[in-house]
Amino acid sequence: MRKKIKNSLSIKVFLWVFSALTICSMLIYGIVLTVLPRQYQVTSDKQLDANTVKLVLKLQDMRYEDAIDEISNFCIQNNSAAILSDNNSVIRFGKINSEEQLITATSSIATTVTFSDSETEYALVISSLSQTADIIVDIMLRFLPVVFAIILSLSFLSAFICSKIIVSPIAKISQISKRMTSLDMTWKCDIKSNDEIGILASSLNTMADRLQDTMEELTHANYRLTVDVKKFKALEEQRRNFFAAVSHELKTPLTILKGQIENMILGYGDYQNHKKYLPEALKATENIEHLVNEIITIAKMENIDLQETLQDVSLKQTTNDTIQAVLPIAYNKDITIHQNISSDIILSVNPNLWMKALSNIIGNAVRHSPCKEDVFIFLQACEKGNVLIINNTGASIPESDLPHMFTPFYRADKSRNKATGGSGLGLYVVKTILDLHGMTYCIKNTENGVTFFLYLD
């Protein structure tokens, strides 16, 4: 029971209010029981003194016979008794039968008086017979049990109401605080008042709104951080795979080149024919050089500050320059390049990187098209703005290879023959450059070939 009282604010408030009201009410009743009769008696005695003074003044102007009637009326009106005496006689007024009864009166006043028709001096003693104070005390003591029961009932009711009024909003706030500890903000404290509890409820609502906003911001920040971490891990994984692929790609041509040179130096068999194997060694060296240049280009792009190198270039002009660079390859394969960029647009790009990406895209379209096919380059408007489309006919990429076309050293030709494909870094370089510029791109199979879509806006 004690533990329950200790842990319940409602019970404690009820007991405090009930005890305080009961004690205070009994103290007040006790004070009234003590003070009221005495105060009434004092007031009654003062009134009797004042009336007695008036009576004495009045009697001095009256005859003896008339004074007897006046004193008798005075005793009736003031609930008192009187004794009028001289050396020869004693006259009693009021309900008093003996001197002892007069002595036990609550208040007595003794004075002398003379009358207008006599020079004899009379002794006048007036005593109050009022028992009102004792009656009041007796009545209050008699009703004490009833009054105590009423006090207990009212105290109980008042304590119950106070505990509900005071504790109810606090209990609601306590429940809300428990929900806050579990980060549950799906509540609203609807306590409407201008006192401290109302201010606390309003502050809780404000704090909850701010916490909810902060939690949402933290959730979004955590989500972005998670995405960034995943991207970072993916980049790290891609970087490791890239360097593993680089080592593999360099190892094979270097091993071949080393073997050819060693065999030529030692003069083994057919390797004595330097005119035959030196060009092959040179070609292997050129392939290694090309691969190293691609790797260096990628490494430089990772460290470049793009904003400081941006320049305005013409799409039409840079496309024409790129076409002119690949025309010899197109002529050798009898491939026709169709360029249709009627309206020129200005791009803010790094000129060198842009020309590198454009050269790789158009160069791939020419190199991977069969002989006597066509390459179409044109600008088209779309919902996202303008899209540069490079389409080479007569070619196709297996659907299973399309998601991996921008992976470094990935080639659709599983033989990895240099005669049918490049180093496998061309599209990866394109991807890196376009990502750096924030451009969107994709490569798809179409009805008449393979199409590269580059969204410029």
Side-chain angles (χ1 to χ4, degrees), residues 328-335 365-373:
I329 304 175
Y331 288 152
N332 290 336
K333 301 181 68 175
D334 198 15
I335 292 175
V366 173
R367 279 189 290 270
H368 293 285
S369 294
C371 295
K372 298 183 181 182
E373 292 290 342

Side-chain angles (χ1 to χ4, degrees), residues 319-320 323 327 330 334-341 362 366 372-379 389-391 393:
T319 303
N320 289 333
I323 292 173
L327 275 178
D334 198 15
I335 292 175
T336 303
I337 300 177
H338 305 272
Q339 189 257 51
N340 183 20
I341 302 179
I362 299 175
V366 173
K372 298 183 181 182
E373 292 290 342
D374 297 292
V375 174
F376 297 92
I377 304 172
F378 57 96
L379 185 67
I389 300 175
I390 299 97
N391 173 251
T393 62

